[in-house]
Structures are given as C-alpha cells and as structure tokens.
Amino acid sequence: MKLHIEMFGEFTIYVDGEKNFQYEGRTRKLWNLLQYLLVNRNRPVPQAELFSIAHLDGKKGKPENSLKNLIYRLRGLLEESDLPKEDYILCRRGAYQWNPEISVILDIEVFEQEYREAMAAAGNMENSLVHYMAALEQYHGVFLPKSQDEEWVREYSAHYQKLFFNCMKEAYNIFSQKKDLGFMEQLCRRSIEMQPQSEELYQLYIQVLMQQNQHKQALEVYASYETMLYKESGQKPSESLQTLYREIIKELNNIHADISTVKNDLREANAGNGAYYCPYDIFKNMYRLLARSVSRTGQSVYLLLFTVSDTRGELPTIKRLNASMRSLQLAIGKSLRKGDVYSQYSGTQYVVMLQSINEENGKMVVGRILKNYEQLYQEPKVVVNFMLEPLDPVEKIPEGILLGGSGC
C-alpha cells in the first residue's frame, strides 16, 4: 500500500492512485492534528508541542487527557474511513507520530525536493528547467487553504508560496533565454487561476506578454487586476505594477496604425445597455476632461456619491458589505443611461457622473437606483447614503489643486 497525500489546494489522501479520504470541516480539530502529524511524520512530536497545535494549553483540566481524547477520536476517524485498516498514529514515550512503516508521498515534499534539485542544477539550464517544471506540477494552490486560520499553517503556506514564486521567476528567466515564452504564458494563466489575488503573478504575466510584444493583451490583464483590486479593497496596484502600466502605454504609443485600426481598437465590443463602469483612475481623467469642457459649454453635470454603512454609520460585516456593494453596482448599471459613467471609489463607495441633468432629475435618478438596489438586496442592517453635487468647472477649482492626467 502506498499513500499519496496532497496538501496544495485541497487536503486529499490517495491510496494506490485512487482518491480515498478528503477534508471535511465538521471534524476540524482532528484534521488539524492529522495534518500536523503528517507534515512532521519523520519525528515523534512531543505532547507539549501538540497542546499548542490543538489549542489545549491554558485550558482548564489536564491537557494530556484532552489530547488523548483527540488522538482516540482521530484514530476512530481513520478507522471509519475507507483507508486500509492500519495503526496510523503511534504513541512513543509521551510523544505521538505518524507510523513510519506506512509509506507516504507528500506533494509538499516532492515540490521542495524538485525545487532544491533545480537550484543545484543551476549551471545546466535544461536540467534545471526540468526540475522547476516538476516542482510547479506539484503546486495546485495554497497550502491547506481550509486551515489558514491556524498559525502553523500560515507559516508553512508563506514558505511554500515564496518557493513557488521563485520557481515561476526562474522558469521565466530560462524560457526568456530560450526565447520560448508561449508555455510560460500558459503557466502564468494557470497560476493566476489558483491564486487570483497575487499581484506578483500578474506582474510576471504582464512581463511575459510585453516580452512577446502583446502590449494590448498586457494592458487588458493590468485593467482586470486593477478592477478586481478596487472592488475587493478599494486600493490601487503597487508602484512597481503602475510602472509596468506606464511602460505598456509608452510602447502602445510608439505603434503606428491607420485610423480604421484605431477606431476598431476603440470600439466597445459589448456595449449593452446601462451606464459605463471603469476603474477610478480612468473615471478621474474623464471627470477632469468634463470639468474643462463644462466651463466652455455650460453643460450641467452632477457628481453622485453612494456610501454603504451599517445603521450606526460604521463598516458592515464583510459578508454584508460584499453583498451590498455587488447589488449596488448592478443597480447603478441598470438604472442609468449609456452616457453615464460610474466607478468604485473605495471599499464602501461608488461615484457616478450624471451628464445633461439638473438637481431635481438627479434626485429622481437616485430614487430609481435605490429602488432597484432594494429589489436586489434587502438587509435592514445595511444602509446606503448618497450625496449629490454639481461638477466644479475648471475656473472654480481652488488654487493649488493640480489638474493632470494622461493626455489632459
């Protein structure tokens, strides 16, 4: 019998290649104990160490008895599973250990071994790449993602993520030297699917695209990450990623095309109905452009700000905030005209620009948006407030405020 255990992405035990045993949240303490014993399977783990891992230290009663009870329940869990009947957990001189007689292959150990061999073969580019690719093949996502509230899991997870990104960078360097970045592009896409919030992976993906002169695709990848970041945290990409963005724009500006090509590039593929959503940096430049033109044309433009809070004016729970912000975005897009523009200003706010409208009509628009929002999300503990003010033309902006932006 040979056990193959995956800890990247999901905790799963395979017996002779067949999935046999998978994580379930209802016995969380037992799974945590099992995972720790497996990661440390090459040594007996002292009881005192397991008291901390099982959160038994500092509690009333004798932690030794509580730990014995947990081990008894863990053995019962393994006994009731479809795993072959074996004595998996041994007790030796006041310490516990995974039975060393039971053959186990851990994906984390294979990953780290391949990484070390790749580093050792640094002088042989082809051999080194083989081992980096073998290491990346083992990585199916974050280490024990359903146990990230455990401190020891977070420490291991940070270690493996660092090694994973080192693998990606070294593979990128080798593929660059070989002038063969097509496969690296696929690796980046796969990695982002596993870790969609990793800015480092987006940065690497954009570099790969730029090196292949795919600047338009690189810009689209940057925009998708920027939009996701605004929606989830209200933050901007790091300065290093913004520097890449400026390099993309510079390269795109150096490309000469006829006007039909430019028009095709500018044309919106799926315009649909409703308002136009854009990242806040783009919204800001559109506002500044309108502020310049309003002073000349006299067009009436209003700025509308929605803010989500709880009934005390404070931040709602994350679950309620996310649901409310999603519903508010849908309500704004559905309620406005194609010529209106909106963006997420922060984690709790949307800002809207209403053109060719007066204050009375602006309030009617607000009423329509809130009505559509309430149809989508009904939660008495969440409140949506709004502010409506006319846009300030350029000449009315106080001295000292600098107007700028790309092309403005």
Side-chain angles (χ1 to χ4, degrees), residues 185-196:
E185 189 179 335
Q186 294 176 38
L187 269 179
C188 288
R189 284 199 297 266
R190 170 183 173 269
S191 301
I192 286 171
E193 285 175 7
M194 293 189 295
Q195 296 181 216

Side-chain angles (χ1 to χ4, degrees), residues 179-333:
K179 300 189 183 303
D180 179 16
L181 286 168
F183 191 73
M184 192 67 210
E185 189 179 335
Q186 294 176 38
L187 269 179
C188 288
R189 284 199 297 266
R190 170 183 173 269
S191 301
I192 286 171
E193 285 175 7
M194 293 189 295
Q195 296 181 216
Q197 295 176 324
S198 171
E199 182 169 302
E200 288 179 314
L201 288 176
Y202 273 94
Q203 191 161 332
L204 187 59
Y205 187 22
I206 288 170
Q207 288 174 327
V208 169
L209 292 171
M210 290 177 68
Q211 202 163 332
Q212 297 179 95
N213 293 319
Q214 298 180 38
H215 297 98
K216 184 180 176 182
Q217 292 91 326
L219 186 60
E220 290 170 357
V221 170
Y222 175 88
S224 68
Y225 175 73
E226 183 185 45
T227 300
M228 179 192 70
L229 195 61
Y230 267 121
K231 284 184 178 180
E232 294 189 358
S233 65
Q235 296 178 343
K236 295 180 180 180
S238 67
E239 183 56 39
S240 60
L241 195 53
Q242 290 185 54
T243 299
L244 267 184
Y245 166 75
R246 288 189 284 271
E247 288 178 20
I248 296 169
I249 296 301
K250 183 179 177 182
E251 290 296 327
L252 286 172
N253 287 339
N254 289 334
I255 297 172
H256 298 285
D258 60 33
I259 194 164
S260 62
T261 303
V262 173
K263 286 171 69 178
N264 284 331
D265 189 47
L266 290 170
R267 187 176 295 118
E268 193 176 354
N270 298 300
N273 296 315
Y276 180 72
Y277 177 84
C278 62
Y280 182 67
D281 271 359
I282 295 173
F283 181 93
K284 188 162 55 177
N285 284 336
M286 294 174 77
Y287 177 92
R288 291 172 176 177
L289 180 62
L290 268 176
R292 290 171 176 236
S293 65
V294 162
S295 60
R296 179 174 54 83
T297 64
Q299 181 187 10
S300 177
V301 179
Y302 272 76
L303 197 65
L304 171 61
L305 182 68
F306 287 107
T307 303
V308 172
S309 69
D310 64 13
T311 52
R312 297 170 298 177
E314 297 176 358
L315 194 69
T317 64
I318 294 298
K319 185 177 180 181
R320 287 176 182 149
L321 177 61
N322 289 341
S324 178
M325 289 294 283
R326 280 195 301 269
S327 300
L328 184 55
Q329 182 178 8
L330 289 171
I332 293 170

Side-chain angles (χ1 to χ4, degrees), residues 139-154:
Y139 194 91
H140 297 129
V142 174
F143 174 76
L144 298 179
K146 292 181 180 177
S147 302
Q148 288 290 312
D149 53 344
E150 298 291 342
E151 185 178 354
W152 75 269
V153 172
R154 291 195 299 273

